[in-house]
């Protein structure tokens, strides 16, 4: 440090290396340890430059260096020796009307440092600072009015002035109390962007509005310790009154909004009137709403020393008033198209205001917001579900807003309806990653093959080609969509531990995130950047990791998926270490059933319904069933022997045994009474139930299908309907196909039934020929055969 002082003495104050040397080496931390001759020589040079009357760059640079020296001086030597003269010089420059606004920041910063640092030295504060605080506050007020009254204000200087005035008010509130009548209206002119004679078209930056709002939130401390809570309450009520005035200006001659539950306070009397023309009133009212919102947020963020009266109901009502205005809100019949378009364009800003108000009061008041939580979630979840996919910014805000609420209020204290709807909403946000993946058979060109199935694949390929020409092919997931997906993935871990959550929904969510985790390396082609891929990987990893750590719910939702997740996650995670290597041995408990020892359960019917309801792709079984439903007339077994679908030998044997068992229960009645007796009606109903005439049947090889048909046959056999008999008589080929596949020893018992259809089956073979297992028949041939019949 001794060798640095001669270098500083030789350098001019305007040298660009002067301030970096002081900040890095801090040679004046302990001035008593420096050589006194060199120290006094340098300080006298600095003091003479500051006290000089010429307004030059050297003087302003000397003020900046003096401010750095005072802040690093731990002994207070420099301030107590030269501070009195520096205070007088700075105050003279700030109070002089002839001082240039561009030269103000250096003197203002030095004055701020001298006033705030003086609290560590009571004698200096009492002798130098206290006598000039009144004049200093008046000078700062006039300087502020002069700086904002210019035709082209210097916003950087105004921003520094607002910040320094706020720090000085917090340090010494009482001297600024006489300044409030003139300072407060000027601040609201900046916050609300109210035109002035010198600036009729203000365009105020957002930083100025936020800094002015923070200064307004500080003015209540000038009322004293005892009266500051009441002053704070008056400030926030005035802001709520102005906000209500702005929202009334937005909705008048526009929306038909619902009546508010908590009426806002009266607006400030000094607030000017809004324009009468709706198109001119809309931007002004929107600026007012955002400005008063910034004031309310600043008041809620201010750390008050004593409890303050927070009007929670009125703030929540104001926020819900913004969130209740949606794209479906009815408008007045006399609204113009231009006004309606302007209202719809301003909707995202209005929703942002509502979320800011409710989120800030939730952070500031915590559990006091709980009585209003259900009403809040009712509005926000409904809005999130119906928001268009193109409004990505609002989607991100809503997801972050619900993340904040569920962080403060766990899902256990929230009605089950809202976490369930939010989880389904979050799961649907990952669809852009899944819908861009084309089908493997189409991408590989495997669309050929003869028969019905081959033509079905060819039609799908043709649809894909047409979709590609129309712009509906796979596209790249944009940056904004990736942000929405990441926000949804960050919300999911808060929703998984919800008590009484549907087991099928939880299992499907974990299954989806697990498959997404495994498929992320293959998504590089549809993502916009590698950073997006890494963000998705980290978010999905966090979802699965927290799913492993959560307590298993009831209903069988934890059937082995934790073991599967641990097997695919990184084994070096610190959070998974207690699970992989527990400190205590496992408890003695009975083994679970064998059906629960597999790693992952098969998709159940409820989970399948959840998946299809959320719009996710269908599996091969679902596609097969859909194809059968589309081409049901080709699948029904009631057609001729040539058009009969291929059925495995096991299925035929099981259906034959089912028919024989059902017929054996009524063999005491002569079969010749087929048209009148109830026993014959039973036989007919069994046949029509096994082979329905109006409902397509899916041909499967599962052994449980005939058992289901048998149970339905026994149930239908008790009815006394006579309409089935006519159906049986009008469909002879169905019964012939069924009975012809029976064994020879059963045919003797069913001879009379065969005789019923003997005339129609004379030119057909008694036993159908079974093909090799291919069901690819040409559709044109099928249509021709149907026409011939």
């Amino acid at each position: 440090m001794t060798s640095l002082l001669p270098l500083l003495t030789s350098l001019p104050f305007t040298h660009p290396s002067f301030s970096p040397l002081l900040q890095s080496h801090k040679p004046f931390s302990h001035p008593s340890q420096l050589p006194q001759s060199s120290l006094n020589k340098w300080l006298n040079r600095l003091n003479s430059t500051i006290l000089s009357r010429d307004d030059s760059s050297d003087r302003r640079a000397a003020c900046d260096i003096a401010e750095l020296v005072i802040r690093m001086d731990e002994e207070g030597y420099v301030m107590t020796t030269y501070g009195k003269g520096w205070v007088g010089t700075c105050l003279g420059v700030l109070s002089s009307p002839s001082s240039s606004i561009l030269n103000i920041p250096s003197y203002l910063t030095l004055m701020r440092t001298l006033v705030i640092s003086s609290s560590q030295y009571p004698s200096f504060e009492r002798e130098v600072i206290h006598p000039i605080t009144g004049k200093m506050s008046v000078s700062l007020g006039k300087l502020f009015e002069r700086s904002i009254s210019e035709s082209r204000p210097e916003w950087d200087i105004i921003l520094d002035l607002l910040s320094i005035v706020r720090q000085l008010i917090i340090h010494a509130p009482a001297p600024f109390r006489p300044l409030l009548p003139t300072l407060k209206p000027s601040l609201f002119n900046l916050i609300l962007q109210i035109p002035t004679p010198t600036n009729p078209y203000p365009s105020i930056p957002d930083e100025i509005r936020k800094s002015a709002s923070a200064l307004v939130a500080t003015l209540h401390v000038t009322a004293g310790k005892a009266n500051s809570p009441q002053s704070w309450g008056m400030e926030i009520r005035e802001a709520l009154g102005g906000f209500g005035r702005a929202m009334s200006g937005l909705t008048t001659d526009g929306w038909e909004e619902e009546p508010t539950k908590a009426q806002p306070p009266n607006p400030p009397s000094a607030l000017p009137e809004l324009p009468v023309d709706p198109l001119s009133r809309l931007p002004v009212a929107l600026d007012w709403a955002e400005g008063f919102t910034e004031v309310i947020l600043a008041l809620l963020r201010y750390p008050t020393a004593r409890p303050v009266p927070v009007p929670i109901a009125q703030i929540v009502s104001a926020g819900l008033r913004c969130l209740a205005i949606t794209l479906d809100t009815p408008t007045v019949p006399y609204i113009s198209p231009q006004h309606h378009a302007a209202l719809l364009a301003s909707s995202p800003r209005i929703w942002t205001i509502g979320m800011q108000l409710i989120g800030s009061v939730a952070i500031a008041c915590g559990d006091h917001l709980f009585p209003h939580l259900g009403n809040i979630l009712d509005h926000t979840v409904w809005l999130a579900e119906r928001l268009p996919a193109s409004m990505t910014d609002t989607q991100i805000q809503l997801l972050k807003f619900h993340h904040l609420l569920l962080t403060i209020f766990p899902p256990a204290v929230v009605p089950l309806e809202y976490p369930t709807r939010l989880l389904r909403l979050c799961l649907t946000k990952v669809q852009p990653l899944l819908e861009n993946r084309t089908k493997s058979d189409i991408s590989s060109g495997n669309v050929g093959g003869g028969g019905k199935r081959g033509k079905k694949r060819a039609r799908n390929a043709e649809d894909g080609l047409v979709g590609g020409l129309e712009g509906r092919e796979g596209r790249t997931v944009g940056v904004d969509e990736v942000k929405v997906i990441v926000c949804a993935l960050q919300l999911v871990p808060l929703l998984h531990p919800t008590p009484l959550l549907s087991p099928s929904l939880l299992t499907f969510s974990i299954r989806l995130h697990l498959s997404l985790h495994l498929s992320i390396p293959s998504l590089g082609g549809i993502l916009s950047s590698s950073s997006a891929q890494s963000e998705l990987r980290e978010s999905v990893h966090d979802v699965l990791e927290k799913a492993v750590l959560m307590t298993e719910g009831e209903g069988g939702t934890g059937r082995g998926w934790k073991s599967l997740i641990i097997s695919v996650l990184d084994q070096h995670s610190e959070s998974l270490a207690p699970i992989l290597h527990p400190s205590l041995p496992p408890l003695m408990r009975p083994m679970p059933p064998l059906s629960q020892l597999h790693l992952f359960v098969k998709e159940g019917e409820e989970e399948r319904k959840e998946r299809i309801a959320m719009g996710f792709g269908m599996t091969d079984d679902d596609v097969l069933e859909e194809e059968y439903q589309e081409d049901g007339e080709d699948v029904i077994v009631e057609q001729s022997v040539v058009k009969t679908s291929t059925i495995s030998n096991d299925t035929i044997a099981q259906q034959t045994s089912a028919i024989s068992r059902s017929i054996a229960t009524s063999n005491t009645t002569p079969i010749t009474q087929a048209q009148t007796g109830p026993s014959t009606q039973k036989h007919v109903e069994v046949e029509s139930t096994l082979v329905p005439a109006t409902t397509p049947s899916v041909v499967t090889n599962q052994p449980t299908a005939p058992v289901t048909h048998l149970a339905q046959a026994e149930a239908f056999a008790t009815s006394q309907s006579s309409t089935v008999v006519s159906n049986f008589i009008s469909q002879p080929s169905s019964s012939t196909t069924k009975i012809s596949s029976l064994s020879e020893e059963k045919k003797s018992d069913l001879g009379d039934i065969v005789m019923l259809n003997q005339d129609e089956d004379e030119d057909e073979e008694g036993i159908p020929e079974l093909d090799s297992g291919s069901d690819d028949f040409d559709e044109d041939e099928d249509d021709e055969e149907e026409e011939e019949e």
Side-chain angles (χ1 to χ4, degrees):
M1 297 304 174
T2 305
S3 60
L4 184 63
L5 192 57
L7 177 61
L8 295 177
T9 305
S10 61
L11 289 176
F13 293 126
T14 56
H15 196 277
S17 301
F18 210 112
S19 296
L21 285 174
L22 288 177
Q23 293 176 356
S24 60
H25 295 279
K26 297 183 179 181
F28 299 100
S29 298
H30 300 280
S32 59
Q33 299 178 4
L34 298 175
Q36 295 300 314
S37 58
S38 301
L39 176 64
N40 293 332
K41 181 180 179 181
W42 186 84
L43 289 177
N44 289 331
R45 176 191 168 200
L46 180 65
N47 185 38
S48 60
T49 306
I50 294 175
L51 296 180
S52 62
R53 294 188 177 275
D54 57 333
D55 195 4
S56 60
S57 59
D58 290 341
R59 189 182 185 189
R60 294 192 297 271
C63 290
D64 295 335
I65 292 172
E67 193 266 338
L68 290 175
V69 171
I70 291 174
R71 284 197 290 112
M72 73 176 63
D73 185 9
E74 298 179 2
E75 299 175 353
Y77 174 79
V78 178
M79 187 179 67
T80 56
T81 306
Y82 301 94
K84 185 175 181 180
W86 295 350
V87 168
T89 301
C90 294
L91 187 59
V93 174
L94 295 178
S95 59
S96 175
S98 61
S99 299
S100 176
I101 299 296
L102 297 175
N103 301 332
I104 291 297
S106 299
Y107 303 99
L108 190 63
T109 304
L110 180 57
M111 173 66 78
R112 185 268 316 270
T113 305
L114 287 169
V115 172
I116 294 177
S117 300
S118 65
S119 59
Q120 302 178 7
Y121 309 100
S123 59
F124 180 82
E125 184 181 21
R126 183 177 59 254
E127 296 174 2
V128 179
I129 300 300
H130 284 174
I132 56 99
T133 51
K135 185 178 180 181
M136 179 186 64
S137 63
V138 174
S139 300
L140 290 176
K142 293 181 179 180
L143 178 63
F144 178 72
E145 292 179 357
R146 185 159 62 96
S147 60
I148 64 175
S149 61
E150 294 184 352
S151 58
R152 304 182 68 177
E154 297 292 337
W155 297 118
D156 295 337
I157 298 177
I158 294 176
L159 186 62
D160 294 338
L161 182 59
L162 290 171
S163 177
I164 290 174
V165 170
R166 178 174 178 270
Q167 295 176 11
L168 293 177
I169 290 178
I170 294 175
H171 178 75
F176 291 89
R177 190 179 304 164
L179 196 64
L180 294 184
T182 57
L183 181 61
K184 195 172 179 181
S186 301
L187 292 175
F188 273 101
N189 288 339
L190 292 177
I191 296 171
L192 304 180
Q193 299 186 4
I194 297 177
T196 58
T198 58
N199 193 5
Y201 302 101
S203 178
I204 301 174
D206 293 337
E207 293 81 4
I208 299 295
R209 172 182 288 180
K210 292 180 180 179
S211 183
S213 301
L215 182 55
V216 170
T218 312
L219 297 179
H220 71 278
V221 300
T222 58
K225 293 182 180 179
N227 298 325
S228 60
Q230 289 74 16
S231 178
W232 187 94
M234 292 176 59
E235 293 286 348
I236 199 168
R237 282 193 294 271
E238 289 182 1
L240 284 172
F243 180 82
R245 175 80 170 277
M247 288 302 300
S248 299
L250 281 173
T251 57
T252 301
D253 299 331
W255 283 302
E256 295 179 355
E257 59 175 346
E258 301 176 355
T260 56
K261 294 184 178 181
Q263 292 296 328
N266 296 326
S269 57
L271 201 62
E273 295 292 333
L274 288 169
V276 180
D277 183 23
L279 291 177
S280 301
R281 183 178 66 244
L282 180 60
V284 177
L286 194 57
D287 288 336
W288 284 17
E290 291 178 343
F292 283 115
T293 301
E294 288 293 337
V295 175
I296 296 173
L297 298 182
L299 286 168
L300 291 174
R301 284 194 298 261
Y302 190 86
T304 56
R306 295 187 179 186
V308 293
V310 183
I312 297 178
Q314 293 178 350
I315 297 176
V316 171
S317 177
L320 294 180
R321 187 178 182 182
C322 298
L323 295 175
I325 298 175
T326 63
L327 301 177
D328 300 329
T329 302
T331 56
V332 295
Y334 52 85
I335 189 173
S336 63
Q338 295 82 3
H339 189 199
H340 192 197
L343 287 175
L344 294 180
S346 62
S347 297
R349 296 172 64 181
I350 298 176
W351 296 332
T352 303
I353 291 172
M355 286 183 281
Q356 286 179 340
L357 288 173
I358 299 177
S360 61
V361 75
I363 296 174
C365 301
D367 294 341
H368 296 281
L369 189 67
F370 184 74
H372 309 274
L373 188 59
N375 195 14
I376 293 171
L377 289 174
D378 194 15
H379 283 75
T380 56
V381 175
W382 188 90
L383 179 61
E385 290 174 342
R386 285 156 180 81
L387 202 65
S390 58
M391 307 179 71
T392 54
D393 293 337
T394 309
Q395 288 183 9
I396 293 173
Q397 291 177 355
L398 282 169
L399 291 172
K400 291 183 177 180
F401 174 78
H402 289 109
H403 189 281
L404 172 65
L405 283 186
L406 294 178
T407 303
I408 300 175
F409 305 98
V413 301
V414 177
L416 180 61
E417 172 192 0
Y418 304 113
T420 303
R421 293 166 61 185
L422 286 175
L423 183 55
R424 289 172 179 166
L425 176 67
C426 294
L427 294 180
T428 55
K429 296 302 180 184
V430 302
Q431 281 190 350
L433 299 177
L434 304 176
E435 63 187 7
N436 287 285
R437 303 183 65 182
T438 57
K439 296 183 179 180
S440 59
D441 54 349
I442 298 177
S443 61
S444 61
N446 186 16
V447 296
K452 183 174 60 180
R453 293 293 178 269
K455 291 188 176 182
K456 189 74 174 181
R457 299 189 188 98
R459 286 198 300 269
N460 291 337
E462 184 179 353
D463 294 341
L465 177 60
V466 174
L469 296 176
E470 294 179 355
R472 292 185 282 106
E473 75 280 2
R475 57 180 179 82
T476 303
V477 181
V479 179
D480 295 335
E481 288 181 293
V482 172
K483 291 181 181 179
V484 173
I485 295 172
V486 170
C487 291
L489 292 174
Q490 292 174 354
L491 180 59
V492 167
L494 299 178
L495 301 171
H496 276 169
T498 304
L500 303 179
L501 188 65
S502 173
S504 58
L505 180 59
L506 177 59
T507 306
F508 172 71
S509 175
I510 295 172
R511 190 195 303 269
L512 179 65
H513 289 94
L514 184 60
S515 60
L516 185 61
H517 173 77
L518 297 175
S519 61
I520 281 179
S522 63
L523 298 177
I526 65 174
L527 296 177
S528 57
S529 61
S530 58
S531 60
Q533 190 173 6
S534 61
E535 289 181 3
L536 287 174
R537 184 184 299 107
E538 294 176 359
S539 301
V540 176
H541 186 279
D542 185 62
V543 171
L544 296 176
E545 188 176 278
K546 292 184 178 178
V548 174
L549 297 176
M550 75 178 186
T551 305
E552 296 183 2
E554 297 180 0
T557 60
R559 291 184 175 180
W561 47 261
K562 290 191 175 183
S563 303
L564 185 60
I565 293 176
I566 292 175
S567 64
V568 299
L569 291 182
D570 185 10
Q571 302 296 332
H572 301 287
S573 176
E574 296 181 358
S575 58
L576 295 179
I579 296 180
L580 297 176
H581 306 285
S583 58
L584 296 176
L587 299 177
M588 295 296 296
R589 53 186 177 181
M591 289 291 292
L594 294 178
S595 60
Q596 299 183 8
L597 291 181
H598 55 279
L599 291 178
F600 209 76
V601 294
K602 187 179 179 181
E603 183 184 29
E605 185 63 24
E606 294 184 1
E607 185 180 347
R608 176 178 173 275
K609 292 179 180 179
E610 290 283 354
R611 173 175 56 80
I612 296 178
M614 286 183 282
F616 284 91
M618 293 189 289
T619 60
D620 297 338
D621 296 338
D622 299 327
V623 174
L624 183 61
E625 182 176 353
E626 183 183 10
E627 292 177 356
Y628 271 103
Q629 290 176 357
E630 292 176 357
D631 305 329
E633 65 277 1
D634 300 333
V635 185
I636 298 176
V637 196
E638 66 181 5
Q639 297 176 356
S640 62
V641 177
V642 181
K643 294 183 292 182
T644 302
S645 299
T646 303
I647 306 176
S648 62
N649 296 330
D650 297 335
T651 306
I652 296 177
Q654 291 167 0
Q655 291 182 353
T656 303
S657 61
I659 296 174
S660 62
R661 287 196 302 269
S662 59
I663 295 177
T665 58
S666 58
N667 55 6
T668 56
T669 305
I671 301 180
T672 55
Q673 302 175 359
Q675 277 127 26
T676 58
S679 60
T680 308
Q681 186 178 354
K682 292 182 181 180
H683 303 314
V684 175
E685 288 175 348
V686 169
E687 293 291 330
S688 61
T689 304
L690 287 171
V691 189
T694 58
T695 304
S697 61
V698 180
V699 179
T700 60
N701 295 329
Q702 298 179 359
T704 57
V707 180
T708 305
H709 291 303
L710 178 59
Q712 295 177 357
E714 294 175 355
F716 279 98
T718 58
S719 62
Q720 301 296 329
S721 175
S722 60
T723 58
V724 187
V725 180
S726 60
N727 293 337
F728 171 74
I729 297 176
S730 62
Q731 299 172 5
S733 60
S734 173
S735 60
T736 305
T737 304
K738 289 292 182 178
I739 300 173
S740 59
S741 61
L742 299 177
S743 59
E744 294 294 335
E745 57 185 52
K746 297 296 180 180
K747 286 183 180 180
S748 60
D749 297 334
L750 303 178
D752 296 330
I753 297 181
V754 177
M755 291 298 295
L756 292 175
N757 303 315
Q758 185 176 3
D759 297 335
E760 292 143 8
D761 297 336
E762 287 180 354
D763 36 87
E764 293 184 3
E765 295 181 1
I767 301 177
E769 296 179 359
L770 300 179
D771 54 87
S772 59
S774 174
D775 54 353
D776 296 335
F777 291 97
D778 192 20
E779 294 180 355
D780 298 334
E781 297 176 0
D782 296 345
D783 297 337
E784 293 176 359
E785 292 177 4
E786 289 179 359
E787 293 177 359
E788 292 177 0
E789 290 182 358

